[in-house]
């Protein structure tokens, strides 16, 4: 199952799993440099990402080929998401949507009272 | 962190802690981010954690091949140590479970001092005495005593069995292990004895005697048909030099002795014989002579070399004393003999004029014997301890003047009633040591009276 494969890859990212999703999401809107990614992530998710975390995740995403650097030689280098990165992000979002749907349904059931046989 | 400037400086410094190759790629970018970012304690922690994680990243660890190899080696060694420790702990736990829950025989040392003394040994300087009580390897008790003007002082006790010898330098005691092999104990600190090694010579017969060479470097451990010679200069790692095989029958209670120069070893080897071995080159020890006592004299139960090494005296179970002249050790000459002296060891009522135990004392053992030359070599003393009852006996002590050729003059006799015991003579040739055969670990000393001195003077 492709989803399992993607999860496996994301699991390898360890503590950078969540920042990776946020970074890929940010880059889905177009290429950004490091500080722009931090401000964008903070704007759409209210997550305040620190530079150490950001560049830990960026280096891993780049190594896996899910993002690539632009503006070679520039101090303020931008990154763009690759096709592989988009596929991985899509798989991850699918899983997250499934989690959200399940959690929403179960929360609604709890509010309506316990199910009866 | 209350000072943002400090956090910013720390953050920038931490960027320099990343692996060099990582810095080549990301340093300028991350510094650009830090220029725009309000640094805080979280920023510092984030960069510190990131630097550490990057150093542990396999891609960047390859930059330090030597450290990596060392790290792997350390991890490999540590994991093996942990594995072995875990296996050992599991094995011990298993053995404990079987021994305690399933009920295997109890192999622990259970001293049983009621069965009495079976061996005594004294250092040449007469400062340390070792006594062995019990006789069975799993229940015997070796006790160390300090010998001084004030008498005996008990120093320590430890497990042993059957036999005991103490090195002339007073640093080692040889006794036997639970499995009947020779065992060496460090008694350099006599209040804190410690087992050093167990010496297995591969003999299936029982250990019956041990003796250290005068320089304390060799140990002779006597088994049924011979003796094993060990180099004990490194007592924790003794080295078997040779096995002297006498090809004779089993002996039950006998003796083994080194000559004062350590070149000869006399071994009472059963069938009433004494074999003399040349052990000047211990690894190539060879028998040079065998002497037989008179018929019906019994077997040799105690042996002693004269201080010069040219005389060897022995006493048999019937109380026959023989002195050999060893001008040529390969051709010993019988220089003197005194037959069946046990008949001199009379009971207080005058009974006991035969070698057999008198009626009324069926449990009495064969007499215990000890013999020793006086320090100058001009007198020979024999102690015969003969039981009166199961608990009391009489020591009869005979002292002869000895000539250089080994001839004996007229004896002087001394007696003392004591408990039924195992006698020994201290190196001064005047102090008699009695260990209890029945009933305990006690030791009693007595000085030979002045009349005995006259024979030696």
């Amino acid at each position: 199952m492709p989803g399992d494969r993607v999860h496996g890859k994301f699991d390898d990212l360890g503590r950078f799993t969540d920042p990776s999703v946020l970074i890929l999401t940010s880059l889905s809107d177009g290429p950004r440099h490091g500080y722009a990614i931090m401000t964008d992530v903070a704007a759409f998710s209210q997550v305040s990402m620190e530079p150490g975390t950001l560049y830990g995740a960026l280096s891993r995403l780049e190594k896996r080929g899910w993002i690539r650097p632009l503006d070679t030689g520039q101090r303020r280098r931008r990154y763009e998401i690759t096709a592989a990165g988009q596929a991985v992000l899509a798989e991850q979002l699918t899983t997250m949507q499934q989690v959200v749907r399940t959690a929403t349904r179960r929360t609604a059931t709890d509010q309506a009272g316990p199910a009866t046989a | 962190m209350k000072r943002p400037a400090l956090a910013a400086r720390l953050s920038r410094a931490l960027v320099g802690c990343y692996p060099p190759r990582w810095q080549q790629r990301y340093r300028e970018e991350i510094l650009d981010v830090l220029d725009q970012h309000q640094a805080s304690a979280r920023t510092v922690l984030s960069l510190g954690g990131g630097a550490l994680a990057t150093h542990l990243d396999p891609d960047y660890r390859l930059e330090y091949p030597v450290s990596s190899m060392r790290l792997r080696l350390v991890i490999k060694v540590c994991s093996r140590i942990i594995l072995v420790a875990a296996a050992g702990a599991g094995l011990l736990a298993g053995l404990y479970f079987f021994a305690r829950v399933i009920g295997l025989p109890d192999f622990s040392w259970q001293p049983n001092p009621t069965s009495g003394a079976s061996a005594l040994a004294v250092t040449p300087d007469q400062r340390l005495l070792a006594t062995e009580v019990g006789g069975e390897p799993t229940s015997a008790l070796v006790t160390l005593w300090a010998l001084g003007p004030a008498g005996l002082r008990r120093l320590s006790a430890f497990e042993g069995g059957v036999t005991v010898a103490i090195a002339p330098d007073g640093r080692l005691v040889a006794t036997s292990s639970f499995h009947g092999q020779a065992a060496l104990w460090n008694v350099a600190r006599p209040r804190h004895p410690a087992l050093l090694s167990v010496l297995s010579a591969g003999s299936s017969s029982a250990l019956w005697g041990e003796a250290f060479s005068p320089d304390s470097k060799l140990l002779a451990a006597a088994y049924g048909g011979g003796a094993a010679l060990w180099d004990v200069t490194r007592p924790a790692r003794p080295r078997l030099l040779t096995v002297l095989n006498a090809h004779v029958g089993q002996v039950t209670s006998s003796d083994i002795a080194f000559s004062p120069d350590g070149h000869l070893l006399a071994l009472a080897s059963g069938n009433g014989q004494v074999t003399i071995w040349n052990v000047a080159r211990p690894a190539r020890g060879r028998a040079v002579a065998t002497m037989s006592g008179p018929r019906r004299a019994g077997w040799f139960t105690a042996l002693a070399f004269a201080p010069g090494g040219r005389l060897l005296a022995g006493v048999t179970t019937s109380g026959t004393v023989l002195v050999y002249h060893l001008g040529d050790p390969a051709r010993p000459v019988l220089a003197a003999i005194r037959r069946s002296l046990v008949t001199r060891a009379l009971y207080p009522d005058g009974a006991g004029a035969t070698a057999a135990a008198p009626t009324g004392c069926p449990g009495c053992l064969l007499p215990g014997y000890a013999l020793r030359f006086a320090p100058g070599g001009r007198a020979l003393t024999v102690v015969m301890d003969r039981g009166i009852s199961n608990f009391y006996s009489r020591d009869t002590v005979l002292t002869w003047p000895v000539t250089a050729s080994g001839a004996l003059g007229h004896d002087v006799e001394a007696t003392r009633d004591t408990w039924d015991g195992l006698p020994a003579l201290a190196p001064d040739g005047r102090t008699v040591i009695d260990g209890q055969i029945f009933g305990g670990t006690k030791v009693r000393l007595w000085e030979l009276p002045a009349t005995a001195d006259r024979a030696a003077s």
Side-chain angles (χ1 to χ4, degrees):
Chain A
M1 187 175 164
D4 290 340
R5 181 174 55 80
V6 173
H7 285 312
K9 286 182 179 178
F10 256 98
D11 289 346
D12 289 346
L13 293 173
R15 69 190 182 94
F16 295 107
T17 302
D18 290 343
S20 298
V21 173
L22 296 172
I23 291 166
L24 290 175
T25 304
S26 175
L27 295 181
S28 302
D29 197 25
R32 284 191 170 87
H33 57 74
Y35 188 69
I37 294 171
M38 282 172 66
T39 51
D40 184 46
V41 165
F44 73 74
S45 70
Q46 287 78 51
V47 172
S48 170
M49 199 183 286
E50 292 295 335
T53 311
L54 172 69
Y55 275 88
L58 279 179
S59 65
R60 282 163 177 76
L61 291 171
E62 187 183 343
K63 193 169 69 183
R64 281 165 176 74
W66 296 346
I67 61 172
R68 65 169 160 262
L70 303 173
D71 314 324
T72 307
Q74 298 289 319
R75 189 177 190 234
R76 188 168 293 182
R77 191 187 314 232
R78 293 182 303 158
Y79 292 88
E80 72 172 3
I81 190 166
T82 63
Q86 284 172 340
V88 164
L89 179 63
E91 294 288 352
Q92 188 69 5
L93 291 178
T94 305
T95 306
M96 291 170 79
Q97 282 165 359
Q98 193 176 336
V99 171
V100 169
R101 276 200 302 274
T102 305
T104 306
R105 188 177 66 248
R106 291 183 181 177
T107 308
T109 306
D110 285 347
Q111 286 170 354
T116 54
Chain B
M1 197 163 295
K2 293 179 179 176
R3 297 175 61 185
L6 179 62
R9 281 203 298 273
L10 274 175
S11 299
R12 297 180 75 84
L14 279 170
V15 173
C17 296
Y18 278 79
R21 197 155 55 83
W22 191 95
Q23 288 190 50
Q24 282 177 10
R25 172 67 183 80
Y26 296 106
R27 181 184 170 84
E28 292 304 317
E29 284 181 52
I30 201 167
L31 288 177
D32 179 62
V33 171
L34 285 172
D35 287 344
Q36 303 165 73
H37 181 66
Q38 182 73 39
S40 67
R42 282 186 63 217
T43 313
V44 174
L45 286 174
S46 153
L47 286 165
L52 186 64
T54 311
H55 277 286
L56 295 174
D57 187 326
D59 289 347
Y60 294 101
R61 269 211 316 252
L62 293 176
E63 291 182 18
Y64 314 100
V66 175
S67 304
S68 175
M69 282 174 66
R70 282 182 186 164
L71 185 66
R72 285 179 192 175
L73 185 67
V74 167
I75 291 170
K76 197 172 170 183
V77 169
C78 288
S79 59
R80 287 193 178 174
I81 289 171
I82 290 168
L83 197 67
V84 168
L91 187 66
L92 286 176
L95 285 174
Y96 180 82
F97 177 79
F98 275 106
R100 301 303 293 239
V101 180
I102 296 181
L104 287 179
D106 188 355
F107 292 113
S108 60
W109 176 52
Q110 295 173 324
N112 178 23
T114 57
S115 54
S118 62
L120 304 167
V122 195
T123 52
D125 61 7
Q126 217 163 305
R127 290 170 62 185
L128 271 182
L129 165 70
T131 61
E132 192 277 326
V133 175
E136 293 299 325
T138 53
S139 63
L141 175 81
V142 173
T143 308
L144 271 183
W145 309 81
L147 274 168
L152 283 165
R153 190 159 41 89
R154 187 178 174 281
L155 296 173
S156 58
F158 52 91
E159 64 261 40
V162 183
T163 177
V164 69
I166 189 162
D169 64 8
R171 301 176 68 84
L172 293 174
V173 161
T175 176
S176 59
S177 71
F178 276 17
H179 302 291
Q181 304 291 345
L184 280 178
W185 286 75
N186 181 356
V187 295
R189 296 169 63 211
R191 289 185 186 279
H192 304 282
L195 179 64
L196 288 171
S197 51
V198 173
L199 295 69
S200 176
S203 174
S204 57
S205 57
L207 179 77
W208 58 257
E210 287 166 303
F212 284 96
S213 61
D215 60 6
S216 301
K217 292 180 178 174
L218 295 178
L219 174 72
Y223 296 86
L229 265 187
W230 295 84
D231 178 348
V232 294
T233 47
R234 294 167 65 196
R237 288 186 175 180
R239 194 161 54 92
L240 179 63
L241 297 172
T242 188
V243 175
L244 311 173
N245 199 339
H247 298 292
V248 294
Q250 188 88 6
V251 290
T252 53
S253 171
S254 201
D255 204 6
I256 181 170
F258 276 97
S259 62
D261 61 6
H263 291 173
L264 299 177
L265 179 69
L267 182 67
S269 52
N271 296 340
Q273 293 178 324
V274 175
T275 303
I276 295 179
W277 299 80
N278 184 334
V279 292
R281 297 169 70 187
R284 296 185 178 180
R286 57 191 169 88
V288 293
T290 298
M291 298 94 83
S292 296
R295 287 185 181 179
R296 293 185 292 278
W299 63 83
F300 285 89
T301 186
L303 298 169
F305 278 95
R310 296 175 72 86
L311 299 177
L312 172 69
V315 58
T316 70
T317 47
S318 70
T320 296
V321 173
L322 300 104
V323 180
Y324 294 93
H325 188 263
L326 303 178
D328 176 1
R331 293 185 178 79
V333 176
L334 181 62
I337 182 167
R338 295 291 185 273
R339 295 177 188 275
S340 299
L341 294 170
V342 72
T343 56
R344 298 264 302 266
L346 298 179
Y347 292 91
D349 60 1
T354 66
T359 307
C361 186
C364 291
L365 304 176
L366 283 169
Y369 293 97
L371 90 164
R372 194 184 278 272
F373 284 90
R378 297 174 60 190
L380 173 67
T381 299
V382 172
V383 181
M384 297 178 285
D385 179 296
R386 200 163 181 204
I388 298 169
S389 71
N390 280 348
F391 297 100
Y392 296 98
S393 70
R394 167 168 287 189
D395 279 348
T396 301
V397 184
L398 300 173
T399 302
W400 297 267
V402 188
T403 65
S405 62
L408 299 178
H410 292 290
D411 62 76
V412 174
E413 182 178 320
T415 61
R416 184 177 171 111
D417 292 335
T418 178
W419 51 50
D420 200 358
L422 180 77
L425 265 167
D428 64 4
R430 296 183 50 191
T431 307
V432 180
I433 305 165
D434 279 301
Q436 283 179 300
I437 280 193
F438 297 103
T441 60
K442 289 179 187 171
V443 177
R444 188 177 283 174
L445 304 180
W446 63 285
E447 292 278 326
L448 291 175
T451 49
D453 285 349
R454 284 203 297 274
S457 62

